[in-house]
Amino acid sequence: MSLLIKNGEIITADTRYTADIYCEGETITRIDKNLRAPAGATVVDATGKYVFPGFIDPHVHIYLPFMGTFSKDTYVTGSQAALVGGTTTLIEMCCPARKDDALASFELWMAQAAGKSACDFTFHMGVTKFDGTTEAQLREIVRRGISSFKIFLAYKGAFGVDDTELYRTLKLAKELGVVVAAHCENETLVAERCKELLAAGRTDPGQHHESRPPAVEAEGVHHLMTFAELTGAATYIVHLSCQEALDQAIAARQRGVRVGIETLIQYLTLDKSYAEKPDFEGAKYVMSPPLRDQRNQSVLWNGIRDGLINTVATDHAPFDFEKQKPMGKDDFTKIPNGIPSLEERINLLYTYGVKTGKIDLHTMVNAASTVVAKQFDLFPRKGAIQLGADADLVVFDPSYRGKISVQTQHMNVDYSAFEGWPLEGRASVVTVRGEFAARDGKFTGTLGRGQFLQRKPSHF
Ligand code: URP
Ligand code: ZN
Ligand code: ZN
């Protein structure tokens, strides 16, 4: 297929101009004014619209066995939701249980995606133990095209690693040039505080924040930064939620530690009062780290604006309100953690970030696409509008007005954390490698066409 996108205002991380984009097959081959459509080309009129590079979500969970259940989306539903929302590439967390082997788990996660996903995808390889067999398996996984690991300093007894495992993982990552993404919360503090709260009869969803306050996250970040400093490994803090944690990461960066910082659309737009809603409604908003005091939102927006925070992700982890969240009806520690948001990240960033003047369009593109591609060895194939790049494009309509609703979402979950929120703009046309994937809130792509993106480590 050849495709001509005419008269759009092209917005990249650092340029803004009006031109036509011609895509031959899967690739952008011409960008210029007044391009003429060759016979047979499909033409999209993008007059009055922005054209962004396809957005990349660096932190999603699709197949996630977690807290005694499974997150709700599959690649069939999740990739459709992503594409309708303008996200053309997913980086999923491959999260083996501690008893499972890394290589078999990698193959299991791959089997969930290959032949099913409509968008392109890759994985952060979760390192949830480091025993005598782990190293050889991780080397093999890197040979197969993975260039990032994921570790959890939280979730004692489930995914969490101890300090010896952490040290060995970082040393191996340094040798291989792999970046290590990390969930930073002190698991011992969380476990002890949970016990204390439950013993005091404090069982409702609002207690989740009390079990892991900002100091718990800040300690996790400080902990990781010490290990990163001593090993020289490149690190990436996932879902950073608060000022205290940011301060620790920036202090480490100032002394030379290599660290990328990710925050989430949930922390930018929701606060801890949502998780305190009565009648168990707060369970919809339980995730880790928890939603924070509202004062943190401006810290995070300003951090993105000033380049201290590098990326905005979703940590998409959908669990039904009717059937799954009630696992923790009488004990908040059993509420499956996660707030679905894969479909809404870009719409929310635009409406509540760009339209309110908190960040500009270039910063949005950078944090949700270009920096992600650079950080995770996908650039310039992804994250760019330039000759030779994949024709992953989002024609975005800033004149759209609508509301978020569970009734219209594609995510396979029975609620929206943003029900009724107004939107001012949405993706109008989305392409993946030159083919249509979504139009005006509807999926129009091809299930199974999504490719596994092989990556080569660069963080030596
Ligand atoms: O609450 C969360 N974040 N759920 C998903 C698992 C994780 O920690 O990323
Ligand atoms: Zn996490
Ligand atoms: Zn996560």
Side-chain angles (χ1 to χ4, degrees):
M1 167 170 166
S2 65
L3 174 69
L4 182 62
I5 298 181
K6 283 203 73 68
N7 290 321
E9 191 173 2
I10 298 171
I11 309 279
T12 69
D14 51 12
T15 55
R16 177 175 192 152
Y17 57 103
T18 298
D20 306 337
I21 302 174
Y22 183 61
C23 314
E24 257 175 297
E26 302 195 343
T27 311
I28 298 172
T29 54
R30 291 188 71 188
I31 305 174
D32 212 336
K33 293 203 185 288
N34 303 318
L35 290 178
R36 296 252 293 269
T42 305
V43 180
V44 171
D45 179 8
T47 308
K49 303 196 171 84
Y50 299 126
V51 185
F52 301 127
F55 292 99
I56 308 168
D57 195 331
H59 184 169
V60 300
H61 301 273
I62 303 294
Y63 177 66
L64 179 64
F66 186 45
M67 299 184 74
T69 186
F70 289 84
S71 60
K72 278 293 302 294
D73 270 315
T74 62
Y75 268 88
V76 168
T77 56
S79 65
Q80 294 189 50
L83 287 162
V84 167
T87 294
T88 52
T89 297
L90 299 179
I91 312 186
E92 192 196 359
M93 304 288 171
C94 175
C95 294
R98 271 181 78 84
K99 65 174 176 34
D100 294 333
D101 278 338
L103 190 52
S105 301
F106 172 67
E107 287 169 350
L108 172 63
W109 257 257
M110 181 73 92
Q112 308 299 319
K116 298 180 184 119
S117 183
C119 64
D120 288 352
F121 60 91
T122 177
F123 304 98
H124 302 298
M125 184 61 221
V127 182
T128 49
K129 67 176 170 196
F130 202 106
D131 63 18
T133 65
T134 307
E135 183 175 328
Q137 295 184 39
L138 291 176
R139 286 180 188 278
E140 174 58 22
I141 290 165
V142 171
R143 258 194 300 276
R144 293 190 192 182
I146 293 297
S147 68
S148 47
F149 295 156
K150 167 73 188 291
I151 49 158
F152 293 88
L153 304 188
Y155 306 132
K156 211 178 181 67
F159 301 135
V161 289
D162 67 26
D163 282 351
T164 307
E165 294 169 318
L166 171 61
Y167 187 67
R168 291 183 182 166
T169 304
L170 290 173
K171 293 237 318 182
L172 180 65
K174 168 71 182 157
E175 183 204 319
L176 297 176
V178 161
V179 60
V180 180
H183 176 136
C184 297
E185 288 182 298
N186 182 301
E187 61 173 10
T188 306
L189 287 173
V190 172
E192 289 305 304
R193 292 179 68 89
C194 283
K195 273 188 232 154
E196 286 166 9
L197 287 160
L198 293 178
R202 296 170 64 175
T203 59
D204 61 282
Q207 305 305 321
H208 181 69
H209 184 275
E210 299 315 302
S211 71
R212 40 223 308 162
V216 168
E217 185 181 346
E219 199 290 322
V221 169
H222 182 267
H223 202 83
L224 177 77
M225 293 297 91
T226 304
F227 281 65
E229 192 166 7
L230 291 175
T231 56
T235 56
Y236 174 87
I237 297 167
V238 300
H239 52 40
L240 184 134
S241 72
C242 61
Q243 164 126 44
E244 290 83 343
L246 182 61
D247 289 346
Q248 292 297 331
I250 299 302
R253 199 181 259 170
Q254 281 170 343
R255 53 179 203 271
V257 176
R258 298 160 74 189
V259 57
I261 303 173
E262 166 194 288
T263 192
L264 305 181
I265 193 64
Q266 294 93 319
Y267 300 136
L268 292 165
T269 53
L270 302 167
D271 62 57
K272 84 181 176 59
S273 66
Y274 285 85
E276 291 163 353
K277 283 176 179 250
D279 303 327
F280 201 62
E281 186 82 5
K284 291 178 180 172
Y285 300 92
V286 166
M287 66 173 301
S288 296
L291 299 177
R292 299 299 188 191
D293 277 346
Q294 204 175 23
R295 70 177 167 85
N296 290 286
Q297 288 180 359
S298 57
V299 173
L300 298 176
W301 282 114
N302 294 345
I304 299 166
R305 181 196 65 198
D306 298 339
L308 300 176
I309 294 174
N310 309 101
T311 62
V312 178
T314 61
D315 191 9
H316 179 65
F319 296 100
D320 273 345
F321 182 60
E322 286 300 326
K323 292 240 165 68
Q324 293 176 296
K325 293 281 185 179
M327 292 165 70
K329 189 94 181 109
D330 304 313
D331 174 351
F332 71 90
T333 68
K334 297 195 167 71
I335 300 171
N337 286 198
I339 303 179
S341 52
L342 178 57
E343 193 163 342
E344 305 300 351
R345 177 182 60 139
I346 301 307
N347 294 340
L348 289 166
L349 257 183
Y350 180 77
T351 300
Y352 296 93
V354 175
K355 287 289 282 182
T356 58
K358 294 186 177 72
I359 57 170
D360 65 22
L361 281 168
H362 304 290
T363 305
M364 177 177 109
V365 169
N366 215 19
S369 178
T370 308
V371 174
V372 181
K374 290 178 178 169
Q375 175 80 59
F376 295 114
D377 307 308
L378 292 167
F379 188 82
R381 178 174 175 192
K382 304 293 189 187
I385 298 182
Q386 64 184 47
L387 304 192
D390 278 0
D392 295 358
L393 296 164
V394 177
V395 179
F396 190 89
D397 181 2
S399 70
Y400 170 80
R401 295 293 177 269
K403 286 199 166 130
I404 296 177
S405 172
V406 67
Q407 306 298 336
T408 47
Q409 75 186 11
H410 295 76
M411 299 179 291
N412 182 31
V413 61
D414 68 357
Y415 75 100
S416 169
F418 306 97
E419 187 66 41
W421 285 34
L423 291 178
E424 300 185 13
R426 75 168 177 192
S428 172
V429 175
V430 180
T431 67
V432 175
R433 286 179 284 103
E435 284 197 11
F436 292 119
R439 271 179 182 245
D440 300 317
K442 297 210 164 39
F443 173 70
T444 60
T446 309
L447 289 169
R449 183 170 174 267
Q451 279 183 2
F452 169 62
L453 300 170
Q454 295 234 340
R455 300 182 287 137
K456 261 177 70 180
S458 65
H459 295 268
F460 292 98

